[in-house]
Amino acid sequence: MTAPIRFPRFFVTSPAPCPYLPGRSERKVFTELKGPHADQLNEALGRIGFRRSQTVAYRPSCLDCQACVSVRVLATKFQPSATQKRDLKRNSDLIVTECRPWATDEQFELLARYLGHRHPDGGMSAMDELDYADMIEHTPVSTVVTEYREPLPNGKPGRLVGACLTDRQGDGLSMIYSFYEPDYPARAGLGNFIILDHIRRAAAEALPYVYLGYWVEGSPRMQYKVRYRPLERLTREGWLLMEPGEQHRLITAATAPRQAQDESPSGVRGKDGQPVKFSAS
């Protein structure tokens, strides 16, 4: 006789400054992922807007704000833009390898360069090697580290220029956290390429979705997610396709020149996907 699946216990964090919109506070609801049914629970929660961080699944549960919206790309219907086609072509020689979730010094050194350049004041900037190993290795679900390496003259994998912690789900790939060589003109568009590669690989496996986490309208650092079409967002009525006209407007706004676009407003910390600690209120 099969033991019944126990309904998970959920907890709520204490309010804290919002990492995306200044002047607002955030709160999260979370549960622990453990046991033989962790994969199934993670996938079920992912379909209703939860994200994984190590052995925890969480989603925003703010009292006065619903700005964080879960989004996913329809991988099998994706049509790249002209810019995305250029990014694919420019980086098409990279060697892509799915590795077991085991932290390496090379990965951590790349992450440190990425955070120091892109998110120097973020909540992850103080991570050390042990913190990074926890992020990568503490997973109760089907997870890989996707590495992107430049080829050596003999065609073998060489320098690591990008990586992504990726959960493999029954309906797609969930991009937990990606990082890449931040100041490398020869490899422009690396961040976009990593997402495009996940979309391409999901489609090749007939997996319908690539989960990108939360999109926050009004947060400049989150607007890159609207550039991938077609895109679905999670609403109270379920997953709905973003209207082409609205998405075109958002893409135009996201790609327009913006003064200090990469500067973080006061109080902003870190990038979507990896809250380091959870404590119930």
Side-chain angles (χ1 to χ4, degrees):
M1 181 175 179
T2 303
I5 300 175
R6 297 182 62 183
F7 191 79
R9 296 180 61 193
F10 290 89
F11 306 89
V12 178
T13 64
S14 299
C18 176
Y20 306 119
L21 299 175
R24 301 191 191 184
S25 62
E26 71 163 359
R27 194 180 67 163
K28 293 184 176 74
V29 59
F30 67 96
T31 189
E32 187 178 6
L33 298 170
K34 62 180 180 180
H37 302 290
D39 263 312
Q40 295 95 315
L41 177 59
N42 187 49
E43 290 192 24
L45 292 175
R47 294 188 185 103
I48 57 172
F50 279 74
R51 295 283 284 167
R52 184 182 70 82
S53 175
Q54 298 178 31
T55 59
V56 164
Y58 72 94
R59 66 170 294 172
S61 181
C62 304
L63 296 173
D64 56 354
C65 181
Q66 291 81 43
C68 292
V69 179
S70 295
V71 292
R72 64 187 186 185
V73 184
L74 277 67
T76 54
K77 298 181 179 180
F78 176 71
Q79 294 294 326
S81 66
T83 298
Q84 289 165 346
K85 289 179 180 178
R86 287 194 294 270
D87 287 339
L88 282 168
K89 183 178 181 180
R90 182 185 296 117
N91 296 290
S92 62
D93 62 322
L94 290 177
I95 298 172
V96 183
T97 307
E98 286 192 356
C99 309
R100 66 191 181 104
W102 186 258
T104 68
D105 290 341
E106 190 179 19
Q107 292 168 7
F108 176 73
E109 290 165 2
L110 176 61
L111 174 69
R113 292 194 297 273
Y114 171 81
L115 292 174
H117 190 275
R118 293 299 182 95
H119 306 286
D121 300 320
M124 294 177 65
S125 61
M127 286 181 67
D128 59 20
E129 292 90 338
L130 292 178
D131 295 325
Y132 176 69
D134 285 344
M135 183 178 84
I136 297 296
E137 298 171 12
H138 285 188
T139 172
V141 302
S142 301
T143 304
V144 297
V145 176
T146 310
E147 290 190 341
Y148 298 83
R149 294 181 178 274
E150 291 184 317
L152 295 171
N154 62 7
K156 292 184 178 181
R159 177 185 178 186
L160 180 70
V161 296
C164 183
L165 182 65
T166 307
D167 284 353
R168 298 188 62 87
Q169 300 181 177
D171 65 348
L173 303 176
S174 179
M175 300 180 66
I176 302 301
Y177 196 85
S178 62
F179 52 97
Y180 49 89
E181 201 64 69
D183 189 15
Y184 194 15
R187 291 288 177 186
L190 263 176
N192 288 330
F193 177 77
I194 292 173
I195 296 175
L196 294 168
D197 176 69
H198 276 69
I199 295 171
R200 180 172 57 184
R201 289 187 294 115
E205 297 180 37
L207 296 172
Y209 307 116
V210 171
Y211 289 84
L212 298 182
Y214 300 116
W215 165 66
V216 184
E217 187 171 8
S219 175
R221 68 174 58 196
M222 305 296 282
Q223 298 316 300
Y224 70 91
K225 298 183 181 184
V226 301
R227 301 179 187 181
Y228 302 91
R229 294 182 282 194
L231 189 72
E232 287 187 343
R233 58 183 167 188
L234 186 59
T235 72
R236 292 182 178 179
E237 289 74 41
W239 289 95
L240 296 178
L241 187 68
M242 187 176 287
E243 290 294 331
E246 180 186 7
Q247 191 165 5
H248 177 74
R249 174 184 64 80
L250 291 168
I251 292 173
T252 300
T255 56
R258 185 182 290 111
Q259 183 177 5
Q261 182 170 347
D262 293 328
E263 293 181 4
S264 300
S266 176
V268 168
R269 296 177 182 270
K271 174 185 172 183
D272 171 48
Q274 287 301 318
V276 178
K277 301 293 183 183
F278 287 89
S279 57
S281 59

